[in-house]
Amino acid sequence: MILVMGLKKTGQSITDYLTKQNRPYSVYDRKEEVLYRYEIMGVKTYRDDEIIDDPSIDLVIKSPGIPPYEEHIKYFKERGVKIISDIEFFYTELMPKKVIAITGTNGKTTTTEMISELLKNEEPITAGNIGMTIFNGNRSQDDIYVLELSSFQLEDTHEFRPNVAVLLNVEEDHLDWHGSFENYKKAKYKIFENQTSDDALIICADTINENEIHTKSKVYKYSVIKKDGMNAYIDNGKIVINRDDFCVTIPMEKLKYKEMHNIGNMMAAILAASFYGIDAETIDDFLENFKLDFHRVETVGFYRGVKFIDDSKATNPSATVSALINMPDETILLLGGFDKQTDFTDPITLAGRKIKKMIFFGDIKEKLKNTSDTLNVTNYITATNMKDAFNKAVEISVNGDTILLSPGASSFDEFKGYEERGDYFKQLLQDLKDGEK
């Protein structure tokens, strides 16, 4: 018997699939209104802290949002019941032949979208952590799958094996969920765990410790710093992509996004897509048409000569560092949110010597203040919440400044997600402009 735990988009897509297959299953969720639908269908339901002691349950498919320390999960682990993610279930059910999987602490959504744009003529299925659930629509074993994978999804994979894996970077994140940085890395490294010599692993040589990468797959490396031994690198104002029999050069002036982290993401994307038949013309079309996702270093407007940048998608300290590297000195940084037990030494140290002011807000503001004081960084003030931080930033800004929302933490102290937080930032700016009318 299969138990599906968590009935948001992912869980419902799995139960829809099982229903079509006429396979018995039971479900667990905390929301009464969600379970009602299944009770009408005659499906056994479990809720909240209700004991799940059905001995026939031999497989649990759990939502990526349910942590490993949840009481039911601990119980099933003790019983030796197999626990898997939606990605693992999809893979073992369909055994797809063409899978590109992307993970990393930062840049995975951008890189996934870049790969999908490069392969758009092949009509790839883009899914996973990017928003679309893997069981939506009719799936074929012969489709090309471009999957953005979180550490939560990878944690519960066992047989999953992508033909092309992309490992962008691994920095401290989600330590509250994984318990330690080592556990977090182990989850990320599962992306290449089952690969064979027929598969490819693409890594960033600037961020990944190659001594920790133990794989049978062929490894391809890219770098924005060095050239020797790289399959993608910068040379004399050009980006060079060179692997096996695939070789292209791209003049830097052709790039719409010239930040180093975006150049690295593009290198990874072109390397990954090159395994599926792209050419120079495809790349030219991509360079012309690709646009970055919302909420990632997105310029959203100006007010009295001050630029406003929404980087709400920066939900960990290393993402904030990436944004700060490309910011002018006259920047006011809004930093704060929900604490995931990560270390803010790097962004605070960088901001302390590089930018005009930091404004700490939200659940994590006292931690940020204490870290700054320990580091003898003094260019900060505190605010009660994001609106207060925004207003204080506007008050101290002058013509030519930049106000950057790059929180370095998740949004769950005030918002449902980084998108809602970014949209609120934009709305605050619009309200400011409307007040002048």
Side-chain angles (χ1 to χ4, degrees):
M1 168 73 79
I2 295 172
L3 171 67
V4 180
M5 292 188 68
L7 297 171
K8 291 186 178 180
K9 288 190 300 183
T10 297
Q12 288 188 27
S13 69
I14 291 170
T15 58
D16 289 347
Y17 172 81
L18 291 171
T19 300
K20 289 176 184 176
Q21 297 277 318
N22 291 315
R23 289 161 66 176
Y25 64 90
S26 53
V27 294
Y28 165 87
D29 199 89
R30 290 185 175 276
K31 291 188 176 179
E32 203 70 43
E33 61 271 24
V34 174
L35 293 172
Y36 181 65
R37 168 197 175 198
Y38 293 92
E39 289 169 351
I40 291 174
M41 294 166 58
V43 174
K44 174 64 178 173
T45 63
Y46 300 94
R47 55 185 44 78
D48 291 331
D49 297 326
E50 185 177 350
I51 295 172
I52 307 175
D53 57 1
D54 182 352
S56 70
I57 294 174
D58 55 6
L59 178 65
V60 174
I61 308 171
K62 82 172 185 67
S63 162
I66 298 175
Y69 50 79
E70 196 270 344
E71 289 302 317
H72 295 99
I73 298 300
K74 286 164 64 177
Y75 167 74
F76 286 122
K77 284 182 177 178
E78 288 168 3
R79 275 186 49 204
V81 174
K82 192 171 186 179
I83 300 168
I84 65 173
S85 65
D86 58 314
I87 297 299
E88 176 77 358
F89 184 62
F90 151 76
Y91 184 81
T92 54
E93 285 290 301
L94 201 61
M95 296 305 291
K97 299 173 184 177
K98 304 169 186 176
V99 177
I100 301 174
I102 304 96
T103 199
T105 306
N106 300 307
K108 54 186 178 291
T109 298
T110 297
T111 305
T112 301
E113 290 174 341
M114 286 178 169
I115 294 169
S116 295
E117 177 69 22
L118 284 160
L119 296 176
K120 65 183 179 181
N121 291 336
E122 303 297 325
E123 298 183 350
I125 307 296
T126 305
N129 193 55
I130 202 165
M132 182 184 290
T133 58
I134 198 64
F135 280 99
N136 277 1
N138 297 316
R139 302 299 192 222
S140 164
Q141 190 181 54
D142 296 315
D143 284 328
I144 296 176
Y145 292 89
V146 182
L147 306 179
E148 178 195 326
L149 302 183
S150 69
S151 58
F152 303 161
Q153 291 168 313
L154 286 165
E155 172 92 13
D156 296 303
T157 57
H158 307 280
E159 298 177 38
F160 176 70
R161 174 194 155 200
N163 311 98
V164 179
V166 180
L167 182 61
L168 300 167
N169 44 64
V170 184
E171 306 288 347
E172 279 196 356
D173 200 8
H174 301 300
L175 302 193
D176 57 331
W177 201 93
H178 289 283
S180 71
F181 186 37
E182 285 304 310
N183 288 341
Y184 175 65
K185 283 198 291 186
K186 284 178 184 177
K188 289 291 191 185
Y189 290 172
K190 278 194 166 190
I191 198 167
F192 58 79
E193 191 172 79
N194 297 316
Q195 286 192 303
T196 71
S197 57
D198 294 327
D199 303 318
L201 170 62
I202 298 164
I203 65 170
C204 177
D206 302 330
T207 60
I208 300 299
N209 182 355
E210 293 181 57
N211 294 326
E212 295 183 352
I213 305 302
H214 306 293
T215 180
K216 296 176 183 176
S217 55
K218 187 167 182 181
V219 178
Y220 298 88
K221 297 181 286 186
Y222 68 93
S223 169
V224 297
I225 300 170
K226 48 196 172 188
K227 293 189 288 185
D228 291 347
M230 298 297 110
N231 299 102
Y233 53 91
I234 300 172
D235 184 32
N236 292 324
K238 294 181 179 179
I239 295 170
V240 180
I241 314 285
N242 187 6
R243 69 129 194 111
D244 304 328
D245 57 351
F246 181 88
C247 184
V248 295
T249 58
I250 304 168
M252 293 285 276
E253 56 264 27
K254 277 192 172 186
L255 302 187
K256 193 182 298 180
Y257 306 106
K258 295 182 171 63
E259 302 86 359
M260 285 299 108
H261 62 277
N262 280 323
I263 291 174
N265 294 338
M266 187 187 69
M267 289 175 174
I270 293 174
L271 278 172
S274 71
F275 287 90
Y276 293 91
I278 64 168
D279 55 22
E281 185 178 343
T282 304
I283 294 171
D284 283 341
D285 181 67
F286 160 78
L287 293 172
E288 184 177 342
N289 293 302
F290 178 77
K291 292 183 180 178
L292 280 175
D293 196 12
F294 296 128
H295 310 300
R296 190 69 181 104
V297 198
E298 178 193 1
T299 298
V300 294
F302 292 82
Y303 176 75
R304 295 185 178 178
V306 177
K307 180 190 286 189
F308 290 75
I309 296 179
D310 170 15
D311 191 34
S312 181
K313 198 168 184 181
T315 58
N316 57 71
S318 59
T320 298
V321 169
S322 293
L324 282 173
I325 287 170
N326 297 291
M327 289 297 122
D329 295 344
E330 299 78 21
T331 294
I332 300 166
L333 170 65
L334 276 58
L335 192 69
F338 178 78
D339 190 2
K340 294 188 286 182
Q341 306 302 316
T342 48
D343 183 1
F344 279 82
T345 297
D346 288 345
I348 287 174
T349 300
L350 178 60
R353 67 171 185 262
K354 177 177 169 60
I355 68 169
K356 179 176 177 177
K357 189 74 74 175
M358 292 179 284
I359 304 179
F360 303 148
F361 67 94
D363 175 69
I364 203 172
K365 65 176 180 291
E366 288 303 317
K367 174 178 176 175
L368 299 174
K369 180 181 181 299
N370 293 337
T371 301
S372 299
D373 293 345
T374 300
L375 295 168
N376 294 316
V377 172
T378 59
N379 61 332
Y380 72 83
I381 57 176
T382 61
T384 54
N385 53 32
M386 199 179 102
K387 183 176 183 179
D388 187 33
F390 179 92
N391 290 336
K392 286 181 176 178
V394 172
E395 286 173 13
I396 64 174
S397 64
V398 298
N399 190 341
D401 283 355
T402 295
I403 294 176
L404 168 67
L405 172 67
S406 188
S410 71
S411 58
F412 300 132
D413 55 342
E414 284 192 72
F415 307 98
K416 292 179 181 178
Y418 75 83
E419 298 98 333
E420 184 178 275
R421 178 171 60 188
D423 289 341
Y424 185 62
F425 179 76
K426 294 175 184 177
Q427 186 59 53
L428 289 171
L429 174 58
Q430 188 58 51
D431 291 346
L432 200 62
K433 293 178 177 179
D434 290 344
E436 294 256 301
K437 293 178 180 177

